[in-house]
Amino acid sequence: MDTIRAMLEEHKLIVICRGVYGDTLLKTMEALYKGGIRLAEVTFDQKSKDYKETLDAITMLEEHFRGRMAIGAGTVVSPAQVELAYQAKAAYIISPNVNEAVIRKTKELGMLSIPGALSPSEVLDAHEYGADYVKLFPAARMTASYIKDLMGPISHVKFIATAGITEENIAEFAAVGCTGYGISGRLMDKRVIQEGRFEELQHRAEAFIACLQKEEE
């Protein structure tokens, strides 16, 4: 768990993989890896009956990128899904909400817990239940200034800004002290993937990293 925590705090960007599976997902992640991405979450499809595609994707990516990337599960909303993700070799659990049972199950199984929250009460509840980080969601709609305001009285919690983060606004979130960023649309652009333009995704990943490096200088 300490290794995964170190990877997150060093590399900061978590790509959110939703609705892309099999060889297409592998090609996409190879391109993003070349662009510098070292963390990815595969989201649960809540409409699925057995979550097979999600679980197969987590296992595939974990085996393919073992030792090079940290693969987690996203949109995890029940302890049963935590258990399934653990069996598929997920290293961390990301949720859209604060669910005490999900957080405690995640910690029981030795994985990093990253629940989603928005209000001060939700953030502090997540922290009290044992979350390692709190995903501020939806970050872009609330703006970086909102996160800055939260960090005033809640300075002991580490935030992962998620939803609507782009190359144009990531510096704003970095400036207020976010620990990491969940990126979906820009790095998992369905049209670009369907067209097989994987190098474009690599270039976008490189652009995100360049923005963060510039902010740290």
Side-chain angles (χ1 to χ4, degrees):
M1 190 163 60
D2 288 341
T3 299
I4 305 302
R5 184 181 286 107
M7 287 184 69
L8 193 157
E9 297 198 12
E10 177 183 357
H11 297 288
K12 303 183 183 302
L13 300 175
I14 305 173
V15 62
I16 302 168
C17 307
R18 180 179 292 110
V20 179
Y21 305 105
D23 188 57
T24 301
L25 175 60
L26 195 58
K27 289 179 180 178
T28 301
M29 291 311 303
E30 281 283 9
L32 293 175
Y33 179 82
K34 291 177 182 177
I37 298 298
R38 297 296 180 266
L39 301 107
E41 64 167 285
V42 181
T43 65
F44 273 84
D45 178 357
Q46 301 302 328
K47 295 179 181 179
S48 172
K49 293 182 179 180
D50 58 10
Y51 312 118
K52 186 177 188 303
E53 288 183 314
T54 295
L55 300 172
D56 286 350
I58 292 171
T59 300
M60 175 188 71
L61 293 180
E62 193 281 329
E63 291 177 351
H64 186 80
F65 290 103
R66 186 171 297 166
R68 297 185 292 151
M69 291 187 71
I71 308 300
T75 318
V76 179
V77 299
S78 72
Q81 290 177 358
V82 175
E83 180 69 43
L84 289 172
Y86 173 77
Q87 293 174 3
K89 306 300 183 183
Y92 49 93
I93 298 294
I94 301 179
S95 301
N97 63 324
V98 177
N99 182 314
E100 181 178 1
V102 167
I103 295 170
R104 296 200 185 283
K105 185 65 173 180
T106 300
K107 300 307 297 177
E108 175 189 321
L109 294 174
M111 296 181 287
L112 284 185
S113 171
I114 312 175
L118 185 59
S119 71
S121 294
E122 291 171 340
V123 169
L124 290 173
D125 281 348
H127 183 73
E128 180 180 343
Y129 299 151
D132 296 282
Y133 304 90
V134 173
K135 178 178 79 171
L136 257 296
F137 171 82
R141 288 187 180 274
M142 300 308 294
T143 74
S145 61
Y146 176 74
I147 298 179
K148 182 179 180 180
D149 289 342
L150 281 181
M151 287 179 172
I154 310 177
S155 58
H156 58 299
V157 175
K158 294 182 177 182
F159 293 115
I160 309 295
T162 302
I165 307 300
T166 68
E167 301 96 317
E168 286 72 34
N169 65 18
I170 193 170
E172 300 172 22
F173 292 91
V176 302
C178 290
T179 297
Y181 313 88
I183 313 294
S184 54
R186 288 296 294 163
L187 295 181
M188 291 295 295
D189 189 317
K190 294 290 182 63
R191 177 176 293 182
V192 173
I193 293 171
Q194 288 172 355
E195 294 173 353
R197 295 189 290 120
F198 300 108
E199 285 189 3
E200 168 64 18
L201 299 179
Q202 176 184 337
H203 296 328
R204 291 184 188 184
E206 291 168 346
F208 271 107
I209 291 171
C211 289
L212 289 178
Q213 290 175 338
K214 183 177 181 181
E215 185 63 30
E216 292 172 355
E217 291 177 354

